[in-house]
Amino acid sequence: MAELRVFPLCCVAQSYAWGKVGLESEVAKLLASGDPLVHIEPERPYAELWMGAHPKGDAVIRDNRIPQQTLGQWIADNPGCLGAKVKDTFDGQLPFLFKVLSVNTALSIQAHPNKELAAKLHAQFPEHYPDTNHKPEMAIALTPFEGLCGFRPVEEIVSFLQTVPELRALIGDVAAEQLERSVSDDPRGVSAALRVCFTRMMKSEKKFFVDQLNMLVKRISQEAAEGKDTSGSNGDLLLRLHSQYPGDIGCFTIYFLNLVRLEPGEAMFLGANEPHAYLHGDCIECMACSDNTVRAGLTPKFIDVLTLCEMLNYTPAPSSSKIFPATQSQLDPSVYLYDPPVPDFTIMRIEIPSSIKLYLVSAVDSASILLVIQGMAVGTSTAAASEMTLRRGSVLFISANESISLHLSSPDGMLLFRACCLL
Ligand SMILES: [Zn+2]
């Protein structure tokens, strides 16, 4: 029998409180569909599905002919599966963690350090910053998806400073006027003024910002009750976030950060120092292997306002510029590539049309993880023990330079996502 280098995985669900609950969650739906024996608890949040070898959620190998129980153990014993370049570049580790997220309530306002800052933070505060790696992330919407990402164009922030007096009170007239005047400045002047305003807001005294937030919520609620348009104060979003995180300074960040809405298949890339928060919806996510997150609001977890305000990228840009383009592969028109400007990962969206009955998942010089979102097929590979039934929710590990033939059995084609590392 040939060496087993392609096999199915049983992946780990994480129950963070912000996740969608029971079968409302895409994570739970994929688990239930991928394995009919899985029991979905109706009250439990199914926030994230981890498809990888992270020690806090190492995938279990679904093939009892393989002696190692988990993907992490198997890769440690078979590092050649990563592909020669990936193995050498990333010290024999799978460089990415692939996920599905089902977001019900907002995640914290956060940013991730670059490698230099990660090393510094880890040396100073290892309890909060557990490793020395950067953590670029990419999210691809599975359902309509909302998040905050990057600083708004300065004209939008200035407009909020003029229509939301509770926000202006936190920042103070001097800093607000400096930002207003900076509109005609060079980009460096704008960034400097923006940094001052955002930092003043984030560092305001707790009692003061809670009072201002309560006044703002009361005012918007009254205006909404009277049937007035509250969009000038971003009213709907403010009330929604305040109901999730009452009294949290993060509620005010909606006046600084872009609201980005992704349709299924659209992506956003979160590079180092980019402020962001996921708000609602289901997505595919891929990230470099790291736990380094600097948080500053919309969370009960440890927050580090000073570090966050210091590190951020204060470059204003419109919401539309935050959508990361996918490119159709020249070699295979079924494949759309999301290739971020970091070496750690690339994601492929594979849309097999209903006219194709036999499809080759091609070999790449990297280990990869394949997730079935839609459709059914029987998969065969010279590196697999036997035929594999692939259905919605199935997850496969594919070693470098191995391919799989899919014999489609569903009439509507298939939708797959594949994470790999193309160096
Ligand atoms: Zn993040």
Side-chain angles (χ1 to χ4, degrees):
M1 190 177 68
E3 198 188 351
L4 292 177
R5 287 165 52 83
V6 171
F7 42 80
L9 297 174
C10 183
C11 297
V12 178
Q14 307 283 9
S15 295
Y16 308 130
W18 48 259
K20 291 190 186 177
V21 171
L23 281 170
E24 285 175 17
S25 161
E26 186 71 11
V27 169
K29 287 183 212 170
L30 289 167
L31 281 174
S33 167
D35 180 357
L37 296 176
V38 167
H39 170 67
I40 301 299
E41 298 169 44
E43 305 293 322
R44 178 183 159 193
Y46 289 83
E48 299 193 356
L49 185 68
W50 285 25
M51 300 171 285
H54 193 287
K56 288 186 192 156
D58 197 359
V60 172
I61 295 174
R62 262 187 176 162
D63 192 321
N64 54 22
R65 283 157 291 201
I66 293 177
Q68 295 86 353
Q69 289 187 335
T70 69
L71 183 60
Q73 291 166 7
W74 189 83
I75 292 174
D77 291 341
N78 299 276
C81 74
L82 297 170
K85 272 197 265 178
V86 175
K87 176 178 154 236
D88 291 347
T89 307
F90 295 98
D91 284 337
Q93 310 273 326
L94 189 67
F96 56 83
L97 178 59
F98 198 28
K99 294 182 178 178
V100 178
L101 268 61
S102 285
V103 181
N104 185 38
T105 56
L107 278 70
S108 51
I109 302 288
Q110 56 185 252
H112 306 291
N114 59 23
K115 282 190 181 172
E116 194 188 346
L117 179 60
K120 201 173 120 196
L121 290 172
H122 176 65
Q124 285 178 323
F125 311 107
E127 67 279 25
H128 299 307
Y129 302 107
D131 58 75
T132 60
N133 202 8
H134 67 167
K135 195 191 181 211
E137 299 172 324
M138 180 172 272
I140 306 173
L142 287 173
T143 60
F145 190 83
E146 278 184 342
L148 300 174
C149 180
F151 282 96
R152 291 173 179 271
V154 76
E155 295 80 6
E156 292 179 23
I157 301 170
V158 164
S159 160
F160 284 129
L161 283 172
Q162 288 162 357
T163 53
V164 185
E166 300 84 354
L167 170 69
R168 195 178 180 101
L170 295 186
I171 286 157
D173 279 332
V174 175
E177 283 162 17
Q178 191 195 344
L179 187 68
E180 284 157 6
R181 281 197 305 271
S182 78
V183 173
S184 53
D185 272 8
D186 68 283
R188 271 199 315 206
V190 172
S191 293
L194 192 50
R195 174 190 289 267
V196 170
C197 286
F198 187 74
T199 305
R200 282 186 65 91
M201 180 187 81
M202 295 303 291
K203 283 192 192 166
S204 45
E205 290 281 329
K206 171 135 194 188
K207 181 172 179 332
F208 185 51
F209 76 67
V210 172
D211 284 350
Q212 293 299 323
L213 185 55
N214 287 338
M215 280 161 58
L216 175 59
V217 167
K218 195 172 161 200
R219 177 171 69 77
I220 292 175
S221 304
Q222 275 171 358
E223 288 174 8
E226 289 162 13
K228 289 187 187 155
D229 176 11
T230 63
S231 58
S233 307
N234 212 350
D236 291 347
L237 184 56
L238 185 93
L239 294 185
R240 177 148 60 98
L241 286 185
H242 188 261
S243 73
Q244 296 173 7
Y245 297 93
D248 191 304
I249 187 68
C251 296
F252 281 107
T253 60
I254 61 172
Y255 300 117
F256 281 91
L257 304 182
N258 283 301
L259 175 62
V260 179
R261 288 199 170 93
L262 302 178
E263 290 303 318
E266 287 184 332
M268 63 185 163
F269 172 66
L270 306 158
N273 304 327
E274 183 86 309
H276 61 279
Y278 296 157
L279 299 180
H280 194 261
D282 307 278
C283 69
I284 296 284
E285 193 185 47
C286 201
M287 61 183 58
C289 270
S290 165
D291 284 327
N292 287 323
T293 300
V294 183
R295 299 183 179 86
L298 302 181
T299 181
K301 290 187 188 171
F302 171 73
I303 67 170
D304 189 347
V305 173
L306 286 181
T307 302
L308 188 93
C309 290
E310 190 67 24
M311 71 192 269
L312 289 182
N313 169 17
Y314 288 94
T315 307
S319 176
S320 57
S321 70
K322 299 298 168 184
I323 296 181
F324 188 92
T327 52
Q328 193 169 20
S329 163
Q330 306 249 316
L331 302 170
D332 179 350
S334 298
V335 173
Y336 295 82
L337 281 167
Y338 304 80
D339 193 11
V342 292
D344 309 72
F345 60 85
T346 296
I347 308 173
M348 299 177 188
R349 183 178 93 238
I350 307 175
E351 288 185 3
I352 309 172
S354 56
S355 56
I356 293 182
K357 294 300 168 204
L358 177 61
Y359 179 81
L360 185 74
V361 178
S362 58
V364 292
D365 188 20
S366 160
S368 62
I369 291 179
L370 183 76
L371 166 68
V372 180
I373 292 292
Q374 189 190 305
M376 279 190 80
V378 173
T380 56
S381 168
T382 53
S386 51
E387 287 187 347
M388 298 166 289
T389 302
L390 295 186
R391 57 166 74 87
R392 176 168 156 74
S394 296
V395 181
L396 288 187
F397 177 79
I398 307 170
S399 293
N401 306 309
E402 301 294 349
S403 60
I404 304 176
S405 299
L406 298 183
H407 307 260
L408 273 72
S409 47
S410 49
D412 302 327
M414 287 188 92
L415 175 61
L416 315 165
F417 284 88
R418 182 184 191 187
C420 59
C421 177
L422 302 178
L423 293 173

